[in-house]
Amino acid sequence: MSLICLCPPFVVAGDLAWYRFEVNEDTLSPVVDFGGMNHTLGAADRVFVRQGHFYRIGPDGRGGTKDDARVRFFGISLSGAANFPEEKDAQKIARRLRRLGFNAVRLHHLDSVLSDSLEQPRGILTTAAYPSFNETALRRLRVFIDALKAEGLYINLNLHVGYQFRPAVDQVTPLMAGEQMPFASHPLHLFEPRMISLQAEYVQQLLRRLELRDDPALAMVEINNESSLLGAWQRKQLDGLTGEYERALQQHWQKWVLRQHGHADNACKLWDSCSLPRKGVINVKSSEASILEYGEGWVAGVQRFSRRAINKLGWETPASLQQQYRPHQKGNGRRVLDYVRFLSDLDQQYLNLIRKTVRQEAGDLLPVTGTQMYFGGVALADAQQQMDYVDEHFYVDHYDFPHKEWDKNDWRIRNNSVLREGWQSLLQRAYVRDARKPFVVSEFNQAFPNRQSAEILPVMSAFASAQDWDGLFLFHYIDGDLWRSVPDSFGLSGHSGQLVVSGMAAALFRQYQVQPLPTQMNINLAPEERTMLGALRDGVSGGGMPAWLQAQYGIDYRHAFYTRVAMMYGTQAKPVGPVQHTARLWHEDDMTWAAAGGELRYGESGPWLAAETAYTRLFAGRKPPGSVTMEADKYLPVFSDKGRQYGVIMLSSRDALPLKNSRHLLLVLSGATTTTQAGVQPERPKQLINYEGQSGWWTLEPDPATARKPSGSLEGLAPVWLERIPVKLFHASKSKKMTVYPLDGNGVRMKALASSAISKKPDGFELDFDFPSPWYELVLE
């Protein structure tokens, strides 16, 4: 372990140099305050869906008229107790979020903790029979919603997230002796009749008690977090059903078979797989999906031509086969596909009932979604036909807990980058979007102490803008049990490296600074294809659908960098035909990708992402190697050898003029964030170390108080430290003079940088930064 003092205020700990920097979220100066994008919400701001996007209804109070105005949501989640701040703090928190550029808050995990406390409620429900509400929590949440509305922040209301039904208390179907109710009752709550009835009552009472009917603050509702029957089957969660729950699901399945085939005997003949009368129509195990990979033929007319065979061919499906694809028409493969359709139909019944209840109580314009697409894959599109928007989650380097879930002193990460390990996965998210509906990523993060975590906000904003998505919600803001402004797992509050880029990333997305890609690739995925992909567990790994698109259409994940992508989830099967814009838009030897319009570029070596817009410039990633080859490359940074040649750099106009004419700009240089090691003097940054000597896994060095545990706590200790980013930049300008002011944690000017750090060039200024601040105000004359 190395600890070297450079001259203050830089300190070297491990392989990085650090300086102390903490953002004061309550007193941000105007140059770093992005709250001006918001206005108090009124009746004209009610949100509805039009032409595949979110719109405000406008002053005339009617949707679908000329005064409608499109809106994008740059939001953040609040979980558990954070949804119920004391009334005196509600306005303060709302103002914080407004200043950081947010215009929406996702109210998450309202139902996960049962709380009888009237002094400090941690959940909206009490320990009495479901649904019994905590009156203090209701009052505080309503006050908080009003505070958010006053600051121009909408709410995304989550319904079923974590509530776990209790058979004895809630009078639902009992479990077998010795069994425990699964977390959040997943997936039992989706098909057990009384659970569904109680959820509808909860929704009705929640919306009434919060007085949310036609409230302009309510922008969207999410019915069910990360749960579907199809997704549970893919994850083998249905295979372990026992007792009355197994019998109930089987009864649903038998009724479905009767509706579809008229009689169980007809189905058995078609399937050729249920010849024992005493068994009847039994539930299908997820393992039986292997028949689609190894058994009766994946492509009609070609026996035993399996998915495995296509894998071995490198996804090169013969052209003669592409036009004659049909799913299994008979045999056990047909039985598996029927079961997938059955689960989708059962999911749809649940979602439609809850959506109807929401609309009855909150208004007939309110956008409602079901659950996240990855929890079932593209087959989930059929269950969500009546939903109003599509929702998804995306994480880079989510925590792994080798021994006990959420042990804050025993965890590890890969220290991945969204631009490297997460890049393909991010681009593939575009392939579940529904062309008819808004697309929202309601959870995303690259959490502390990942050293590249500053990149996730601007990278998501840039890519989502190019794809013309409609909502981004960072997970999350703060731990409501602690309310500490210091890095704490997923929390934004106290995470200086993300806080300093938040407002600029918000402006990039909300103000449409990156123009949507000029073309759109619409992919018609017929119902039979969706069912087949659902049976092959597409929602678990995401591997099935990308492989299918590559095999059938020659579509590569890289297409999403060059053209907007949308799926045409039709209700009728259509023959496979040509897809627009599927020509390769890049050369295999291209190391730099350039999107149409020239606003986004991606460098494989590094890697790095650059955005050039009229009002904002972005660079995120590692030092681009090689010589300057393009005119735009003069805007790329030149990192000093003193650092690790990595940084997140954003430059934004702050006087509403394009960058080339602006006289007042904000520059951010951000990198890794860490906290302070406990029990050490002098204070020093906490280091990232290998988890138990494993080279591919990382964790924080242990705390003295828990030295026997392999990890330092995810609950950080102040002060907060930022990575030193020594870098040279060029800014094109016709101005004669530039003054650069480093800013403190309040965004207030410190002493201007020496003139030696600013070199006047014929076409602009060359700037040399090596100062302990991530924020700089640039003033030109």
Side-chain angles (χ1 to χ4, degrees), residues 135-204:
E135 296 300 329
T136 300
L138 284 170
R139 185 182 69 253
R140 286 190 181 185
L141 181 54
R142 180 64 251 189
V143 170
F144 189 30
I145 291 171
D146 287 337
L148 293 169
K149 182 162 59 173
E151 298 297 330
L153 288 105
Y154 289 91
I155 62 169
N156 173 354
L157 181 64
N158 291 190
L159 300 178
H160 184 84
V161 179
Y163 182 73
Q164 193 164 295
F165 283 95
R166 299 158 293 165
V169 178
D170 299 326
Q171 301 299 302
V172 298
T173 301
L175 297 162
M176 295 285 284
E179 290 187 336
Q180 292 185 338
M181 185 68 67
F183 170 75
S185 302
H186 293 167
L188 311 181
H189 71 292
L190 300 171
F191 67 90
E192 203 271 7
R194 178 160 171 79
M195 288 187 189
I196 295 174
S197 176
L198 289 173
Q199 288 174 80
E201 182 181 344
Y202 168 77
V203 171
Q204 182 186 67

Side-chain angles (χ1 to χ4, degrees), residues 421-629:
E421 294 86 356
W423 188 239
Q424 181 172 340
S425 180
L426 173 59
L427 268 58
Q428 286 175 341
R429 286 303 192 278
Y431 291 91
V432 296
R433 176 186 177 188
D434 189 325
R436 305 163 300 170
K437 301 176 182 180
F439 186 72
V440 174
V441 180
S442 67
E443 285 185 22
F444 72 95
N445 209 334
Q446 186 171 327
F448 171 80
N450 181 291
R451 284 185 170 176
Q452 292 72 236
S453 57
E455 69 194 12
I456 189 66
L457 280 165
V459 168
M460 287 292 290
S461 290
F463 180 69
S465 295
Q467 281 295 321
D468 203 16
W469 293 350
D470 300 278
L472 298 173
F473 288 80
L474 184 71
F475 186 87
H476 61 184
Y477 177 61
I478 202 167
D479 186 331
D481 288 326
L482 301 175
W483 291 104
R484 299 184 313 143
S485 293
V486 66
D488 177 9
S489 63
F490 293 106
L492 174 66
S493 185
H495 193 307
S496 298
Q498 291 185 340
L499 284 168
V500 296
V501 300
S502 176
M504 299 170 85
L508 193 74
F509 183 64
R510 291 178 56 189
Q511 296 179 338
Y512 305 87
Q513 292 180 10
V514 174
Q515 295 299 306
L517 293 165
T519 60
Q520 180 161 311
M521 179 169 64
N522 293 323
I523 305 168
N524 175 53
L525 207 61
E528 57 191 21
E529 294 175 280
R530 301 195 293 267
T531 301
M532 183 267 297
L533 288 169
L536 292 173
R537 300 178 295 282
D538 174 58
V540 177
S541 65
M545 182 178 168
W548 174 252
L549 293 178
Q550 180 74 53
Q552 289 293 306
Y553 306 122
I555 295 173
D556 189 276
Y557 78 95
R558 286 171 287 188
H559 276 98
F561 190 80
Y562 296 92
T563 182
R564 285 174 286 129
V565 177
M567 307 304 295
M568 304 295 288
Y569 294 124
T571 57
Q572 300 297 320
K574 297 179 181 179
V576 175
V579 180
Q580 296 176 339
H581 308 304
T582 55
R584 183 175 290 166
L585 304 175
W586 62 89
H587 299 290
E588 288 298 333
D589 58 353
D590 283 349
M591 294 300 291
T592 300
W593 310 1
E599 289 189 324
L600 292 186
R601 289 187 297 148
Y602 173 76
E604 291 185 18
S605 57
W608 53 271
L609 178 72
E612 294 286 339
T613 80
Y615 294 91
T616 295
R617 189 174 302 141
L618 162 68
F619 174 89
R622 297 195 175 275
K623 179 180 180 180
S627 59
V628 174
T629 57

Side-chain angles (χ1 to χ4, degrees), residues 252-270:
H252 282 298
W253 169 224
Q254 291 169 347
K255 291 177 182 178
W256 187 93
V257 169
L258 292 177
R259 290 195 300 270
Q260 294 295 316
H261 298 289
H263 195 281
D265 288 345
N266 297 334
C268 286
K269 290 177 183 178
L270 183 67

Side-chain angles (χ1 to χ4, degrees), residues 164-308:
Q164 193 164 295
F165 283 95
R166 299 158 293 165
V169 178
D170 299 326
Q171 301 299 302
V172 298
T173 301
L175 297 162
M176 295 285 284
E179 290 187 336
Q180 292 185 338
M181 185 68 67
F183 170 75
S185 302
H186 293 167
L188 311 181
H189 71 292
L190 300 171
F191 67 90
E192 203 271 7
R194 178 160 171 79
M195 288 187 189
I196 295 174
S197 176
L198 289 173
Q199 288 174 80
E201 182 181 344
Y202 168 77
V203 171
Q204 182 186 67
Q205 293 300 318
L206 179 67
L207 293 169
R208 287 181 181 180
R209 289 171 180 246
L210 290 175
E211 299 177 348
L212 288 173
R213 184 170 188 83
D214 295 331
D215 191 321
L218 184 56
M220 61 189 81
V221 168
E222 176 187 315
I223 292 174
N224 189 30
N225 182 67
E226 295 183 349
S227 180
S228 74
L229 284 167
L230 178 57
W233 180 79
Q234 291 170 342
R235 289 162 169 79
K236 302 183 179 181
Q237 293 171 345
L238 294 184
D239 293 353
L241 288 181
T242 60
E244 290 300 309
Y245 285 98
E246 180 186 27
R247 189 175 68 85
L249 186 62
Q250 187 161 307
Q251 287 179 338
H252 282 298
W253 169 224
Q254 291 169 347
K255 291 177 182 178
W256 187 93
V257 169
L258 292 177
R259 290 195 300 270
Q260 294 295 316
H261 298 289
H263 195 281
D265 288 345
N266 297 334
C268 286
K269 290 177 183 178
L270 183 67
W271 300 338
D272 192 27
S273 58
C274 53
S275 57
L276 297 177
R278 64 184 180 85
K279 283 192 174 182
V281 181
I282 61 174
N283 290 321
V284 177
K285 302 293 186 182
S286 60
S287 59
E288 295 183 59
S290 61
I291 192 72
L292 301 174
E293 300 183 88
Y294 297 105
E296 302 151 344
W298 196 45
V299 178
V302 183
Q303 292 300 312
R304 305 193 68 79
F305 191 78
S306 69
R307 178 171 178 259
R308 298 280 174 170

